[in-house]
Amino acid sequence: MKGQQGVKVIGAGLAGCEAAHYLASHGFAVTLVDMKPQRFTPAHADQNFCELVCSNSLKSDDVYGNACGLLKEEMRILGSVTMEAAAATRVPAGGALAVDRHAFAAYVTQKLRGMPNISFVSAEEEEIPESPCIVATGPLTGERFAAKLAERFGGNLFFYDAAAPIVSASSIDYAKTFTADRYGKGSGDYVNCPMNREEYEAFVDALLSAERVIARDFEKRDVFEGCMPVEIMASRGRDTLRFGTFKPVGLYDENGKRPYAVLQLRKENCEGTAYNLVGCQTNLKFPEQKRVFSMIPALKNAEFLRYGVMHRNTFLHSPRILRADLSWRENGHVFFAGQMTGVEGYVESAASGIWAAANCALKLCGKDPLPADARTVIGALALHVSSPNEDFQPMNANYGILRPLGQEVRDKALKKRMLAERALQVAEELKEYAASAFAEQEI
């Protein structure tokens, strides 16, 4: 019986939890190993599994107009526990899927602990197992295990990731804000903090001169564009923020006027007692964060519940190491999942956990892995991290990695819909293929 075939899953972040849930849901015995609560990384504080550390947003929920929204629907088809948890703990965020971070982690933890064929070990893994396992220790892999990975694989890459500050809702000056979603999408879920030209210029000056935690060494690191610190973006040009994080396009105040620049605030929890400074990941020292961000009129007296932090993100040069099923080329029973494979983002990380777990289960059943092609976002990401690429860098979900339709479609919205419809059909086929393989194993 497959239930007697145990799989060790190392790491209880999004990828590890997805992997453990998928395997257990299909009758496999799972041992989930995580170093909490014995040890925490610099960015983690919650004792629950599946902790979200730098944002509560899982990005767009638009299945037919956004690649990440499409990926989430593919995951729902494949039985994602993080999508289930997100639905149960979501908070208003316009067209985005945002969650109450603590409730989200608690939901996943409770769900896994309620599954009879998952056992739990609180320890820091120190060796790469040779038996069936999925390594999902994440971008904040413990130092000892990271050293083992570096020793075994060599040439590990790393970059620095950044988290945005969170402020108390009660400390925001709402008289200097307006509530609106960009282009009117949503139900007024964002609190917008407008700035005129003089205020914006002063803010940028302060941002550029503020003291950073890692001043000179930081610029020598590889920084993923999707989590670029706001001060680094500002250094690229005085108007960079106005065309990015602080762009006013699609936002109008109660008088129908578009501001010169806008900082958006998004609810951090269901109660709405805390707000995240959207896109303001930063590496400034804590006193500097308070000084600089308080220059925004609506945040003059803001109480900072959490300051932004920078932390190390470790990932493998996966094209040299992994197959498209996310198994190790030298040991097909060892799989990797999560951001350490070179997928970037919460959703992408969770999706890779499903992909690795499904292929691990299929291997244990003596079946071929899921066909990896770029018709689905999940398959395209698997190909990205496994295809030869000496300049390998992390990748988000995006339409550029999908296989072309094979016909010219000039209407962009129609093209995205056609890509999505094709992807969802293929995702259903992947689900049926795995279900059929597992059903045969039962006979």
Side-chain angles (χ1 to χ4, degrees):
M1 291 295 291
K2 62 187 178 186
Q4 296 176 333
Q5 301 181 58
V7 180
K8 178 183 282 189
V9 177
I10 307 170
L14 277 83
C17 286
E18 283 283 17
H21 177 266
Y22 187 96
L23 288 163
S25 296
H26 290 88
F28 293 85
V30 177
T31 300
L32 182 57
V33 182
D34 194 87
M35 63 184 187
K36 289 182 179 181
Q38 293 186 8
R39 287 193 61 200
F40 289 82
T41 73
H44 289 90
D46 196 325
Q47 293 198 18
N48 285 316
F49 303 144
C50 219
E51 183 179 358
L52 306 180
V53 297
C54 69
S55 174
N56 69 334
S57 176
L58 301 180
K59 297 189 275 193
S60 176
D61 211 22
D62 182 357
V63 176
Y64 297 102
N66 183 279
C68 192
L70 173 57
L71 176 59
K72 285 194 279 291
E73 189 62 22
E74 293 175 7
M75 292 167 63
R76 293 183 183 105
I77 290 171
L78 297 174
S80 166
V81 68
T82 58
M83 291 300 100
E84 177 185 324
T89 62
R90 70 183 300 161
V91 297
L97 175 59
V99 301
D100 181 316
R101 293 188 306 141
H102 301 295
F104 173 84
Y107 184 102
V108 175
T109 302
Q110 183 177 0
K111 182 70 180 278
L112 295 187
R113 290 197 179 278
M115 303 183 80
N117 48 342
I118 301 182
S119 58
F120 302 88
V121 175
S122 178
E124 183 177 359
E125 194 73 32
E126 296 188 13
E127 298 289 342
I128 303 173
E130 296 294 327
S131 57
C133 74
I134 297 176
V135 179
T137 49
L140 299 174
T141 296
E143 292 181 2
R144 284 175 287 187
F145 194 62
K148 287 293 181 181
L149 292 174
E151 177 185 324
R152 184 62 189 85
F153 299 125
N156 270 4
L157 306 179
F158 65 93
F159 60 98
Y160 278 85
D161 200 359
I166 297 172
V167 298
S168 167
S170 62
S171 68
I172 300 168
D173 185 350
Y174 293 99
K176 298 177 181 177
T177 69
F178 64 94
T179 302
D181 298 305
R182 203 177 302 278
Y183 302 113
K185 295 182 178 180
S187 54
D189 302 322
Y190 288 86
V191 174
N192 298 282
C193 306
M195 287 179 277
N196 59 33
R197 181 167 188 163
E198 182 180 353
E199 291 162 345
Y200 173 78
E201 293 286 352
F203 172 78
V204 170
D205 286 339
L207 196 60
L208 293 175
S209 63
E211 190 174 0
R212 304 172 190 172
V213 175
I214 306 175
R216 297 179 181 176
D217 189 46
F218 176 78
E219 275 80 14
K220 300 176 184 177
R221 309 296 186 184
D222 293 320
V223 183
F224 179 64
E225 291 287 331
C227 286
M228 184 67 64
V230 65
E231 61 270 17
I232 299 299
M233 288 192 286
S235 70
R236 295 177 171 180
R238 299 192 66 82
D239 284 326
T240 300
L241 293 180
R242 289 207 316 118
F243 288 92
T245 300
F246 287 66
K247 66 182 178 183
V249 178
L251 292 171
Y252 298 90
D253 63 20
E254 58 276 5
N255 298 315
K257 181 180 178 181
R258 192 176 82 177
Y260 187 76
V262 175
L263 165 65
Q264 290 194 298
L265 305 178
R266 181 182 59 232
K267 285 183 180 179
E268 180 68 16
N269 54 23
C270 292
E271 295 79 11
T273 59
Y275 276 83
N276 187 291
L277 278 62
V278 176
C280 287
Q281 299 92 345
T282 181
N283 189 44
L284 300 184
K285 289 189 173 182
F286 290 176
E288 292 287 76
Q289 291 185 40
K290 181 172 179 60
R291 178 181 69 84
V292 174
F293 289 112
S294 294
M295 294 177 66
I296 298 170
L299 301 182
K300 182 179 179 180
N301 299 309
E303 175 190 356
F304 287 76
L305 302 179
R306 184 194 73 186
Y307 288 105
V309 295
M310 290 290 296
H311 53 82
R312 181 193 56 151
N313 270 1
T314 304
F315 65 96
L316 304 170
H317 195 296
S318 292
R320 298 174 183 167
I321 298 167
L322 303 182
R323 301 183 183 93
D325 63 357
L326 299 186
S327 66
W328 184 12
R329 295 182 187 274
E330 293 187 18
N331 182 342
H333 288 284
V334 176
F335 291 76
F336 289 81
Q339 289 189 174
M340 69 186 316
T341 66
V343 297
E344 175 57 36
Y346 286 146
V347 178
E348 293 85 345
S349 178
S352 73
I354 299 175
W355 189 263
N359 287 315
C360 178
L362 288 167
K363 181 175 285 288
L364 291 174
C365 291
K367 301 294 183 179
D368 291 334
L370 296 175
D373 67 45
R375 290 180 295 168
T376 60
V377 182
I378 195 171
L381 287 170
L383 286 174
H384 171 75
V385 303
S386 60
S387 300
N389 183 357
E390 288 306 308
D391 296 320
F392 180 66
Q393 286 291 318
M395 181 64 71
N396 285 115
N398 65 83
Y399 290 110
I401 62 175
L402 290 174
R403 183 195 299 179
L405 289 169
Q407 62 186 94
E408 184 178 357
V409 181
R410 294 187 177 182
D411 186 312
K412 292 183 179 180
L414 176 60
K415 182 177 181 180
K416 289 179 179 179
R417 175 169 283 275
M418 292 174 67
L419 287 169
E421 289 174 346
R422 182 186 68 176
L424 297 181
Q425 179 180 343
V426 175
E428 291 284 359
E429 293 171 1
L430 294 175
K431 177 184 176 180
E432 290 304 315
Y433 171 74
S436 176
F438 300 146
E440 288 181 18
Q441 186 73 6
E442 294 287 359
I443 299 175

